[in-house]
Amino acid sequence: MQYIDLAAVYDSLVAEPSSLKKAALIATLLKKGVTTKQDALELILLLQGKVFSQADEAKIGYSTRLVIKSIAISAGFSEKEIEERWRSLGDLGLVAEELLHKKKQNVLFSSPLSVDEVFSSFRKIASYTGEGSVSQKVKLFSRLLSSATPLEAKYLVRGVLEELRVGVAEGTLRDAIVRAFLDQDGMFEQDEGVDEGKYNDREQYVVRVSAVQRAIDLSGDLALVCYIAKTEGLEGLEKIRLVPGSPIRVMLGPKMETIEQALKTVGVPAAIEYKYDGFRILAHKVNGVISLYTRKLELVTNQFPEVVAALNKGVAAKEFILDGEAVGIDPKTKKYLPFQFVSQRIRRKYRIDELAKKLPCVFVVFDALFADGVTLLDESNEHRRAALEKLLVPLPHELELATRKIISSEQEAQEFYERSLGAGNEGVMFKNLSSPYALGKRVGHMVKMKPTLETFDLVIVGAEWGEGKRSGWLTSFLLACRTFDGEYVSVGRVGTGLKEKEELGVSFSEMTELLRPYILEEVGREVRLTPHIVVEVAFEEIQKSTTYEAGFALRFPRILRLRDDRGSDSITSLDHVADIFDDQRHATQKNRS
Ligand code: AMP
């Protein structure tokens, strides 16, 4: 497939607010572009603005500096001219489009770019390392730009910067796959357009959407699902099984405010468990090899050697998928430590053993999804727990079973809740005894409860270079929440909560290094950042404000911790900020009256 076809779809997607219509646009593209498995991989990743899957830690690693160089080479403008246009247009993609347009008005385009060529070039750019790698990267990208039409140039630049932002969610891709490859019975009325309710056979449509969703959940691989839907249809999708070794999404729990509400949701009797304040990990074993995945599907096996060792010792099964939490423990007192401690383990890439001794983790397991050829997903919680107890021989302070009790009354729950908090945990989880494991869903089979100190998970979209003793560090971070459409809107600035010295907890210098790869633009001391780093923020109050894009401002915000476990797409929503603002207003009115 030619890259221009993809670029044209990108352009239509940006302008299209309806996700149903987005799905229709993508379906046409997939129908045209997918013949082989590789085609499916390339298109599905590129539509999400990526060339590596989530489990792959690789980044393209092409900076705005290098993009400016490449535009200069291929469009024949000076870097200064390009920077000036960037300042006024605010987007290097638009600059590339405009400048290539100026250059190419009278030139006939050479051989057209293919999707495959762009995809493999982006991967090649990521693979160049060491001496001479920068010039190799620039050469390759400049060559792409030189063969590009202005429209293609816009998306090549956004793509290579990993800043595509066309707003394709997983659900849209799922619907597009249904529409492209599972529509043999004419479920969609072709000439009626694609509005909701215009299906000839809504029931069949729903069946197919759930089949595709289940295949995605079980395989964790959208590209594979796309390819199988095309080549083998529904029957092929139904053959997809859970296999240890490929990352899958964890089940999540909605938050409850009271024990009464929690028990109403999960029913009685219910299981109640300690809610450990650690890092969620799904441990897979296949062919004697253990892999650890985060809930964002990233591979973190190397970061937790003691968890791998403990699982090898404590679980006899040859193949398994276990769900649990890596919790930091104080090496002397063996008491649980809060999340901040484990969080350092995740970020550490070198001298891991040294840190593992200083900040060891215990792996606390609370669920079993697969064991020796048997999928347990559809079994009840009670059954899975019993299977887990058979699988695992606990090793104190290394590998443990989540502390759990079956309760039937609010009073029992209250006692367990207090016991859990007393043991240094975050709260409790309530679990419905007869529910299956719902991959990737927050459906109320389990619910969480913790003391209510409302905090937000916000993404850092800007910062300021510090002065005086803070010079050389990024300080004063601009925080954003997310709108329904996936836009990031600022909601406050925060400068407190970080440490000035390297010690336990996040320091300014560490935060600066974390943010540095995401710098998009610097104007004076102000820095604009790609939304990537998520922090948990506490605050005193929310106020209406015209200073920030959200229309609200956080009063006295402070950073509590990094949320390495959370992607910028699952942060606090603007709606939630507005809800909390309303709650707060009602509470004050009540207090006054
Ligand atoms: P939150 O991070 O506040 O959304 O809370 C949900 C998280 O609690 C899960 O993703 C797990 O990482 C964690 N958790 C801790 N203990 C348990 C448990 N016993 N069962 C399930 N999840 C748990």
Side-chain angles (χ1 to χ4, degrees), residues 273-276 280 325 366 429 431 448 450:
E273 295 177 7
Y274 281 0
K275 182 179 190 309
Y276 298 90
R280 183 81 171 265
E325 190 94 351
F366 43 76
M429 304 295 299
K431 299 184 178 179
K448 61 187 179 199
K450 50 184 177 181

Side-chain angles (χ1 to χ4, degrees), residues 250-253 273-281 295 323-325 366 402-403 426 429 431 442 446 448 450 561 563 565-566:
V250 298
M251 174 161 72
L252 297 162
E273 295 177 7
Y274 281 0
K275 182 179 190 309
Y276 298 90
D277 189 13
F279 192 73
R280 183 81 171 265
I281 281 180
R295 65 187 243 191
D323 190 1
E325 190 94 351
F366 43 76
T403 301
E426 247 197 319
M429 304 295 299
K431 299 184 178 179
R442 205 184 278 282
M446 70 173 191
K448 61 187 179 199
K450 50 184 177 181
R561 58 172 171 158
R563 290 292 316 232
D565 57 333
R566 195 148 277 210

Side-chain angles (χ1 to χ4, degrees), residues 114-158:
S114 71
V115 168
D116 185 53
E117 193 178 349
V118 172
F119 184 84
S120 55
S121 301
F122 280 9
R123 282 199 168 179
K124 235 191 225 158
I125 289 173
S127 72
Y128 291 138
T129 49
E131 212 180 312
S133 61
V134 172
S135 65
Q136 277 174 309
K137 288 178 191 223
V138 173
K139 209 161 139 195
L140 185 51
F141 189 65
S142 309
R143 217 170 45 219
L144 284 183
L145 274 189
S146 303
S147 339
T149 63
L151 179 71
E152 288 175 310
K154 173 161 84 178
Y155 290 104
L156 282 174
V157 165
R158 290 182 183 170

Side-chain angles (χ1 to χ4, degrees), residues 492-510:
R493 255 186 195 279
V494 61
T496 44
L498 298 188
K499 307 270 182 311
E500 291 195 348
K501 290 206 198 90
E502 289 291 341
E503 49 185 88
L504 300 181
V506 188
S507 64
F508 277 108
S509 71
E510 203 179 340

Side-chain angles (χ1 to χ4, degrees), residues 248-509:
I248 44 170
R249 301 235 169 79
V250 298
M251 174 161 72
L252 297 162
K255 188 174 172 206
M256 301 285 126
E257 298 303 329
T258 61
I259 290 178
E260 185 191 356
Q261 190 190 11
L263 289 183
K264 217 183 212 167
T265 312
V266 298
V268 279
I272 183 167
E273 295 177 7
Y274 281 0
K275 182 179 190 309
Y276 298 90
D277 189 13
F279 192 73
R280 183 81 171 265
I281 281 180
L282 274 194
H284 296 241
K285 185 171 190 176
V286 61
N287 297 329
V289 181
I290 290 182
S291 328
L292 308 179
Y293 288 100
T294 68
R295 65 187 243 191
K296 285 198 287 174
L297 312 185
E298 292 151 339
L299 190 62
V300 289
T301 320
N302 292 338
Q303 279 91 314
F304 294 96
E306 77 275 44
V307 171
V308 174
L311 285 165
N312 273 324
K313 249 193 295 176
V315 187
K318 286 206 175 59
E319 289 185 335
F320 59 72
I321 305 178
L322 301 180
D323 190 1
E325 190 94 351
V327 191
I329 46 167
D330 185 311
K332 289 200 193 90
T333 62
K334 308 286 181 202
K335 283 221 162 93
Y336 297 132
L337 297 171
F339 174 80
Q340 287 88 303
F341 292 84
V342 197
S343 137
Q344 299 180 57
R345 295 285 307 275
I346 304 150
R347 279 175 276 136
R348 179 66 77 95
K349 298 277 151 63
Y350 310 101
R351 291 185 287 130
I352 287 167
D353 288 327
E354 206 177 285
L355 189 65
K357 284 214 178 79
K358 205 168 120 201
L359 296 174
C361 283
V362 47
F363 188 46
V364 186
V365 188
F366 43 76
D367 220 325
L369 315 191
F370 187 94
D372 279 339
V374 180
T375 301
L376 300 166
L377 285 182
D378 294 325
E379 303 292 348
S380 68
N381 172 278
E382 206 168 16
H383 180 108
R384 299 198 308 278
R385 173 72 186 207
L388 175 62
E389 287 175 13
K390 275 200 203 119
L391 278 175
L392 184 145
V393 180
L395 306 161
H397 315 306
E398 290 178 53
L399 182 68
E400 296 173 2
L401 282 165
T403 301
R404 160 171 169 127
K405 190 178 175 194
I406 307 296
I407 50 143
S408 302
S409 70
E410 282 186 32
Q411 195 191 333
E412 283 174 292
Q414 182 65 35
E415 280 164 16
F416 191 92
Y417 180 60
E418 283 164 19
R419 208 172 100 203
S420 181
L421 293 180
N425 299 306
E426 247 197 319
V428 289
M429 304 295 299
F430 293 85
K431 299 184 178 179
N432 175 316
L433 286 172
S434 52
S435 287
Y437 191 98
L439 287 169
K441 308 226 164 49
R442 205 184 278 282
V443 281
H445 295 343
M446 70 173 191
V447 300
K448 61 187 179 199
M449 205 179 112
K450 50 184 177 181
T452 43
L453 164 81
E454 186 67 44
T455 61
F456 289 162
D457 293 323
L458 300 171
V459 70
I460 301 180
V461 292
E464 221 179 77
W465 287 110
E467 286 178 316
K469 63 179 182 164
R470 291 188 175 178
S471 73
W473 293 337
L474 287 172
T475 56
S476 180
F477 306 99
L478 186 64
L479 303 166
C481 56
R482 201 164 188 265
T483 67
F484 184 68
D485 300 323
E487 289 289 317
Y488 296 100
V489 287
S490 58
V491 68
R493 255 186 195 279
V494 61
T496 44
L498 298 188
K499 307 270 182 311
E500 291 195 348
K501 290 206 198 90
E502 289 291 341
E503 49 185 88
L504 300 181
V506 188
S507 64
F508 277 108
S509 71

Side-chain angles (χ1 to χ4, degrees), residues 171-190:
T172 312
L173 288 171
R174 176 201 60 205
D175 295 352
I177 293 172
V178 175
R179 200 175 274 268
F181 305 123
L182 303 172
D183 184 28
Q184 289 91 337
D185 308 335
M187 282 178 298
F188 303 103
E189 279 183 28
Q190 302 305 333

